[in-house]
Amino acid sequence: MIVTITGKLVRVGEASVVIESAPFEYEVFVADFTRRQLQGKIGDNARLHTLQYIEGNAAQGGRLTPRLIGFLSEPERQFFDLFCSVDGVGVKKALRAMVRPVKELAVLIEQQDAKSLSALPGVGPATSERIIAKLRRKMPRFALMVDPGAIGETPEAGSEVIGETFDALITLGHTEADARRLIDEAIAGKKKFKDTESLLTAIYQRSS
């Protein structure tokens, strides 16, 4: 199973990109938000976290075609996997719907904003209610996502620091909303935090 792919970004299309990883070129399907992030980087090296799925229905005599789906970070891939697990969503609908950053989508789900969710491409009122019912309690970590490089050396490291800090604040008695607010305020100054301890120290220095 291919979990990451690294190589030169050769082409950005409407629904997919092409990555040259010699001696092969791979077509990787991406959500619209990811496509916009990659649009100005043709010719540069790119690294995508990937999921594989099989398109087609052999039972109906159709051809089975393996596909790759790409994401800029591991948390985005994890969010997509959860999104696809909702009844009536699936891979294609999830790709169409992800036109906004994962953090924004997670906040909409966490806040039970069915109206905004139902406005996403391919997601109507009934589907938005199912998304909220199944995923609301799984969204805090995704709602805390920050821009790559704001914390840690990589998006993965930054996500880990944020997640551990969030868990620590909950353990210390803060509510989920309060923990997220404290973290957002601490990182608003664009200072980099290399680990959970330094971020917690900054949070309590601001609170004192």
Side-chain angles (χ1 to χ4, degrees):
M1 177 160 176
I2 300 173
V3 294
T4 60
I5 184 168
T6 304
K8 185 170 77 172
L9 182 63
V10 177
R11 185 170 71 250
V12 176
E14 289 187 9
S16 65
V17 301
V18 174
I19 301 284
E20 180 186 326
S21 184
F24 304 109
E25 290 189 358
Y26 296 88
E27 181 182 33
V28 185
F29 286 83
V30 293
D32 191 64
F33 172 73
T34 304
R35 178 189 61 79
R36 295 197 304 270
Q37 299 292 101
L38 294 171
Q39 218 162 19
K41 299 181 179 179
I42 294 176
D44 295 346
N45 274 346
R47 182 171 188 257
L48 295 177
H49 299 260
T50 55
L51 283 172
Q52 292 176 280
Y53 81 103
I54 303 297
E55 184 177 81
N57 191 328
Q60 297 179 358
R63 186 178 71 173
L64 298 179
T65 306
R67 301 288 194 194
L68 276 177
I69 307 171
F71 309 89
L72 295 174
S73 70
E74 176 64 23
E76 290 179 16
R77 181 173 70 174
Q78 293 170 352
F79 176 89
F80 182 84
D81 221 8
L82 284 171
F83 205 64
C84 288
S85 71
V86 177
D87 289 342
V89 176
V91 171
K92 289 186 176 180
K93 185 174 286 189
L95 275 175
R96 282 186 62 204
M98 289 178 65
V99 295
R100 297 169 66 173
V102 164
K103 175 174 180 172
E104 292 183 14
L105 296 177
V107 169
L108 292 180
I109 295 169
E110 192 178 35
Q111 294 179 346
Q112 304 182 64
D113 189 346
K115 182 178 180 181
S116 295
L117 284 171
S118 64
L120 297 172
V123 179
T127 302
S128 68
E129 293 291 350
R130 288 197 298 271
I131 291 170
I132 291 168
K134 182 162 186 176
L135 302 183
R136 182 171 63 86
R137 297 188 182 279
K138 300 177 181 179
M139 290 297 104
R141 284 177 176 270
F142 300 106
L144 284 163
M145 285 178 66
V146 296
D147 293 333
I151 291 185
E153 299 300 321
T154 66
E156 290 76 17
S159 176
E160 185 175 343
V161 170
I162 289 288
E164 289 178 357
T165 303
F166 179 79
D167 290 342
L169 290 170
I170 297 299
T171 302
L172 290 167
H174 295 277
T175 65
E176 291 183 356
D178 192 34
R180 185 164 64 247
R181 177 185 61 78
L182 289 170
I183 292 172
D184 285 345
E185 288 176 355
I187 65 177
K190 303 298 182 183
K191 179 183 176 182
K192 287 192 177 184
F193 301 97
K194 66 181 186 301
D195 53 33
T196 302
E197 183 179 355
S198 61
L199 181 51
L200 279 172
T201 300
I203 287 170
Y204 283 112
Q205 283 177 343
R206 290 177 59 89
S207 301
S208 59

